[in-house]
Amino acid sequence: MASSLLPEIGQIVRVIRGQDTGKHAVIIGVVDQRYVWIADGSKRKFDEPKKKNLIHLELLPVISTEVSDSIRTTGRVTNGKLRFALNKYVIPSSIEAQEKGE
């Protein structure tokens, strides 16, 4: 399932289990083969990320280069960049789903 892919910093994920089920977030850190740190820039800020088990996440095939580059160069990313990355991916995909009648 979701654990077959390796998580990457900057990757967009959908939460499939837990309190935030159905919401999207960005991976801002990889703990080990099972856990990652996620944040969305609004409810879950960069300074207070959520540690999630990979089996509770759906790894989407989208990586935000803005987020990954920022974390690699400075070790941080702004909450605005996290929101921008999510809006860039999540809003267009939900519009496509509506157009297809899903």
Side-chain angles (χ1 to χ4, degrees):
M1 190 164 126
S3 59
S4 62
L5 298 171
L6 291 175
E8 291 186 48
I9 290 176
Q11 188 165 12
I12 309 286
V13 297
R14 182 177 324 141
V15 179
I16 55 175
R17 287 203 182 80
Q19 190 171 357
D20 297 329
T21 299
K23 295 190 176 159
H24 291 82
V26 182
I27 295 177
I28 60 168
V30 178
V31 177
D32 55 28
Q33 292 179 343
R34 285 185 62 188
Y35 293 97
V36 294
W37 292 102
I38 62 170
D40 64 10
S42 51
K43 178 182 178 236
R44 184 64 65 183
K45 307 277 191 200
F46 175 81
D47 292 331
E48 296 177 9
K50 174 81 174 160
K51 185 178 180 182
K52 285 295 271 186
N53 190 320
L54 284 171
I55 64 172
H56 296 167
L57 298 173
E58 176 186 351
L59 299 177
L60 301 174
V62 178
I63 296 173
S64 168
T65 54
E66 293 97 347
V67 172
S68 60
D69 291 347
S70 179
I71 291 175
R72 283 192 187 96
T73 56
T74 65
R76 301 186 51 80
V77 66
T78 64
N79 292 311
K81 268 190 190 166
L82 291 172
R83 290 190 301 270
F84 175 78
L86 288 171
N87 286 336
K88 192 168 150 184
Y89 169 75
V90 175
I91 290 173
S93 65
S94 62
I95 290 171
E96 288 172 17
Q98 288 175 351
E99 288 173 354
K100 291 178 184 174
E102 294 177 356

